[in-house]
């Protein structure tokens, strides 16, 4: 028995259960067992959600900043109070450790609080004009948003997708991942309990392709916000462009980590190994390609392997576990295939490279080195618990490797040379660069990528600005 909650669609203020609807089985990744049945929206459900979003927008666009801030601050307070309950739900349906889930709740609390302050700072500007004339640049809410949140951060992704439109005065229809619906519903409930009108934010689930096509075909929706793979993002961006809807696309990455011989190697290893295996590596900003300068290559690989092999893999609810299961069977299949192909192509396997246990979706923390550049794992986002360690002779070669892929989300570098730090900061093509730190985000800091990692930002003032359009108003 689990205490996993009932699942529903949240449309027009009503909780709609499975009756007469197709359902999706939600699995516990630690056991593989079904823990819930999620109702999937019909076309009629989606039409009702769209009509409601139009009404919700007409109402919320007129709301005062105090009203919006009260909702966001109130929801933050409720989330803090409900931390244990929400974190536990996330572990049950996504697999991550309870400690990681608690941190995720905390990050979402911080984001709601930051956005609550930001609603008072959506300033425009007044232009210099002759006396008697006034010209103002205003920012207005873009309109109803269709937002798609993936399963890897079942609390944080819905928080981002809901928080920014609400702060900006938009309404939002969110489709969180069908694998992790209850965490998303718990975040939404905090907003409702803090006073958010139910027509301002709604939650639907369904067959992803059908839901996104239906919502994006509607003229009601004025913005698409998507987090997920580059492949799906490209399809959705094309659909949005048909109607010139605004887009925020948080897509895949293949995080390079440049490690120079002058770095403090013990500190680097103590930092990057837990960072690599956080959330089983299912993180878009996960460090993936370790680009290591020749003099420290052997020591780095050995230190990395030793630490990775010592990590305790187990169910997220077990306080001893440091790495939980992967979120779904698809990830286990995908990561296993990528690793096997790389080893067959000549990569050296130092630890891991196999499933763990006889139930659930566990995969051991894996270290590969001397990975051929042409192998698929060096070119496609692995999105799993695998570190790829390769040796390089010079800074120039290391920068070329860092920028080799079409992705540009997060990149990291470790060096004690101040002049090199500046060079790297300028040369690395990524939306977020961490030099001597894994911390590349924060509620006040724009989160987003360049190139195939997408465009637009979440978090920071930029997150709210992305839900606004600009109007120039000239009065004679
Ligand atoms: P996927 O690409 O099918 O799905 C990724 C996410 O997009 C899921 O949440 C899914 O529900 C959603 N999705 C899929 N098709 C959709 C559609 N047509 N319309 C709307 N939403 C849709 O693959 P997956 O197996 O769930 O995840 C695999 C890959 O997705 C990973 O390898 C990784 O590259 C990427 N991913 C990225 C993030 C991120 O934070 N950027 C998060 C989760 C997954």
């Amino acid at each position: 028995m689990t205490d996993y909650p009932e699942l529903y669609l949240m449309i027009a203020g009503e909780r709609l259960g499975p009756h007469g609807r197709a359902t999706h089985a939600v699995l516990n990744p630690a056991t593989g067992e079904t823990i819930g049945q999620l109702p999937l929206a019909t076309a009629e459900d989606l039409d009702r959600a769209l009509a409601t979003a139009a009404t919700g927008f007409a109402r919320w666009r007129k709301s005062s900043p105090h009203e919006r801030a009260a909702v966001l601050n109130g929801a933050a307070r409720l989330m803090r109070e409900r931390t244990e309950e929400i974190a536990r739900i996330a572990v049950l349906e996504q697999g991550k450790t309870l400690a990681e889930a608690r941190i995720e709740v905390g990050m979402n609390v911080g984001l709601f609080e930051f956005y609550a302050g930001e609603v008072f700072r959506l300033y425009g500007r007044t232009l210099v004009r002759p006396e008697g004339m006034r010209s103002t640049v205003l920012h207005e809410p873009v309109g109803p948003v269709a937002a798609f949140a993936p399963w890897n951060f079942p609390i944080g992704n819905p928080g981002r997708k809901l928080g920014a439109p609400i702060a900006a005065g938009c309404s939002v229809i969110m489709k969180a991942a069908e694998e992790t619906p209850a965490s998303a519903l718990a975040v939404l409930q905090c907003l409702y309990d803090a006073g958010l009108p139910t027509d301002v934010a709604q939650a639907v689930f369904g067959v992803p392709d059908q839901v996104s096509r239906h919502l994006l075909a509607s003229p009601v929706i004025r913005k698409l916000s998507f987090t997920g793979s580059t492949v799906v993002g490209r399809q959705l961006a094309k659909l949005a462009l048909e109607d010139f809807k605004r887009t925020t696309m948080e897509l895949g990455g293949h995080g390079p980590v440049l490690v120079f011989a002058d770095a403090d190697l013990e500190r680097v290893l103590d930092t990057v190994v837990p960072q690599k295996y956080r959330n089983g590596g299912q993180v878009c900003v996960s460090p993936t390609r370790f680009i290591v300068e020749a003099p420290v290559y052997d020591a780095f690989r050995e230190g990395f392997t030793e630490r990775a092999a010592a990590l305790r893999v187990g169910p997220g609810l077990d306080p001893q576990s440091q790495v939980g299961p992967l979120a779904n069977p698809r990830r286990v299949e995908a990561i296993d295939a990528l690793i096997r192909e790389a080893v067959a192509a000549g990569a050296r396997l130092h630890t891991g490279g196999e499933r763990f246990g006889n139930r659930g979706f566990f995969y051991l923390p894996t270290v590969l080195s001397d990975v051929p550049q042409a192998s698929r794992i060096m070119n496609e986002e692995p999105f799993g618990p695998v570190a790829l360690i390769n040796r390089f002779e010079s800074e120039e070669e290391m920068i070329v490797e860092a920028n080799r892929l079409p992705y540009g989300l997060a990149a990291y570098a470790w060096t004690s040379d101040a002049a090199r730090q500046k060079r790297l900061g300028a040369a690395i093509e990524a939306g977020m660069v961490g030099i001597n730190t894994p911390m590349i985000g924060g509620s006040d800091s724009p989160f987003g990528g360049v190139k195939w990692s997408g465009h637009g930002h979440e978090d920071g003032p930029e997150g709210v600005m992305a839900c606004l359009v600009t109007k120039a108003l000239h009065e004679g």
Side-chain angles (χ1 to χ4, degrees):
M1 272 301 287
T2 63
D3 42 9
Y4 188 72
E6 285 294 309
L7 300 172
Y8 48 87
L9 310 168
M10 189 70 216
I11 297 175
E14 275 187 59
R15 290 183 175 197
L16 304 173
H19 326 289
R21 295 180 177 84
T23 57
H24 170 92
V26 179
L27 308 180
N28 177 345
T31 63
E33 287 162 4
T34 298
I35 50 174
Q37 290 293 342
L38 176 69
L40 304 182
T42 62
E44 293 73 37
D45 291 328
L46 296 175
D47 284 338
R48 197 165 158 222
L50 285 163
T52 306
T55 323
F57 177 55
R59 169 213 293 272
W60 197 243
R61 67 178 304 164
K62 296 184 198 143
S63 61
S64 72
H66 296 88
E67 229 176 319
R68 295 180 205 171
V71 164
L72 289 162
N73 275 323
R77 199 187 60 249
L78 290 169
M79 282 202 83
R80 196 179 279 117
E81 283 169 22
R82 298 174 192 174
T83 297
E84 286 308 303
E85 178 196 333
I86 298 173
R88 195 181 152 78
I89 289 172
V91 175
L92 285 174
E93 62 186 10
Q94 199 271 349
K96 65 179 60 189
T97 65
L98 199 50
E100 288 176 321
R102 288 186 185 122
I103 292 171
E104 200 181 327
V105 175
M107 285 166 63
N108 202 68
V109 167
L111 184 64
F112 279 5
E113 287 173 344
F114 178 79
Y115 279 165
E118 211 47 32
V119 300
F120 294 99
R121 294 187 285 270
L122 306 181
Y123 306 129
R125 67 186 198 278
T126 306
L127 307 180
V128 179
R129 288 290 180 271
E131 193 177 321
M133 185 164 179
R134 191 168 60 171
S135 291
T136 324
V137 180
L138 307 169
H139 300 300
E140 298 182 336
V142 61
V145 177
F148 300 87
W151 42 261
N152 58 337
F153 287 92
I155 305 158
N157 286 329
R160 282 177 165 166
K161 296 297 172 207
L162 295 168
I166 289 168
C170 298
S171 60
V172 51
I173 302 176
M174 174 177 67
K175 190 201 81 63
E178 284 65 32
E179 286 98 336
T180 56
S183 307
L185 291 169
V187 174
L188 182 59
Q189 193 60 46
C190 291
L191 288 158
Y192 289 159
D193 292 347
L196 185 76
T198 51
D199 54 3
V200 176
Q202 304 174 86
V204 301
F205 301 96
V207 176
D209 185 56
Q210 288 172 13
V211 176
S212 52
R213 279 181 194 281
H214 197 108
L215 296 182
L216 294 175
S218 166
V220 168
I221 298 298
R222 296 312 321 151
K223 179 184 162 91
L224 158 68
S225 176
F226 174 76
T227 300
S229 60
T230 297
V231 174
V232 174
R234 188 174 281 122
Q235 291 167 18
L236 297 192
K238 284 181 187 162
L239 292 175
L241 185 64
E242 282 292 317
D243 187 33
F244 294 103
K245 300 181 200 300
R246 303 278 167 138
T247 52
T248 294
M249 311 301 291
E250 302 280 8
L251 308 177
H254 205 293
V257 187
L258 288 72
V259 181
F260 289 90
D262 57 27
D264 174 348
L265 206 60
E266 290 300 303
R267 179 170 163 240
V268 179
L269 287 165
D270 287 343
T271 308
V272 298
V273 174
Q275 184 197 5
K276 169 67 255 182
Y277 299 107
R278 177 170 79 107
N279 205 14
Q282 302 162 116
V283 181
C284 54
V285 295
S286 187
T288 296
R289 273 174 298 146
F290 291 87
I291 300 166
V292 184
E293 206 177 11
V296 288
Y297 178 67
D298 290 334
F300 181 83
R301 190 196 55 230
E302 281 159 26
F304 201 112
T305 302
E306 199 179 299
R307 285 166 176 80
L311 290 169
R312 283 188 301 272
V313 178
L317 289 179
D318 179 345
Q320 300 298 313
S321 301
Q322 293 171 297
V323 181
L326 300 189
N328 54 58
R330 290 194 307 287
R331 291 286 2 111
V332 178
E333 297 296 329
I335 206 76
D336 196 51
L338 284 169
I339 290 169
R340 280 171 196 278
E341 276 177 40
V343 171
R348 293 168 64 201
L349 172 66
H350 299 280
T351 186
E354 56 183 341
R355 293 155 207 241
F356 173 74
N358 52 13
R359 63 181 205 151
F361 314 136
F362 293 94
Y363 202 90
L364 288 174
T366 300
V367 177
L368 296 178
S369 75
D370 300 332
V371 193
Q373 198 186 73
S375 58
R376 203 156 59 88
I377 204 166
M378 286 292 287
N379 296 278
E380 290 178 19
E381 183 176 35
F383 220 65
V386 59
L388 312 171
I389 304 179
N390 283 326
R391 171 191 171 120
F392 291 81
E393 300 297 331
S394 71
E395 180 182 319
E396 290 70 30
E397 279 177 42
M398 292 166 77
I399 292 172
V400 168
E401 170 57 21
N403 292 338
R404 177 178 58 88
L405 294 182
Y407 296 108
L409 193 57
Y412 308 88
W414 294 85
T415 173
S416 59
D417 179 333
R420 177 181 277 151
Q421 290 166 10
K422 282 197 188 137
R423 287 196 295 275
L424 295 174
I428 294 176
E429 297 166 7
M432 294 164 282
V433 179
I435 296 184
N436 295 332
T437 177
M439 309 297 288
I440 43 92
S443 51
D444 56 351
S445 176
F447 186 99
V450 297
K451 305 197 286 184
W452 283 15
S453 295
H455 56 239
H457 293 97
E458 295 186 297
D459 305 356
E462 290 84 356
V464 186
M465 289 305 289
C467 293
L468 298 168
V469 284
T470 301
K471 178 186 276 176
L473 179 61
H474 303 280
E475 298 164 280

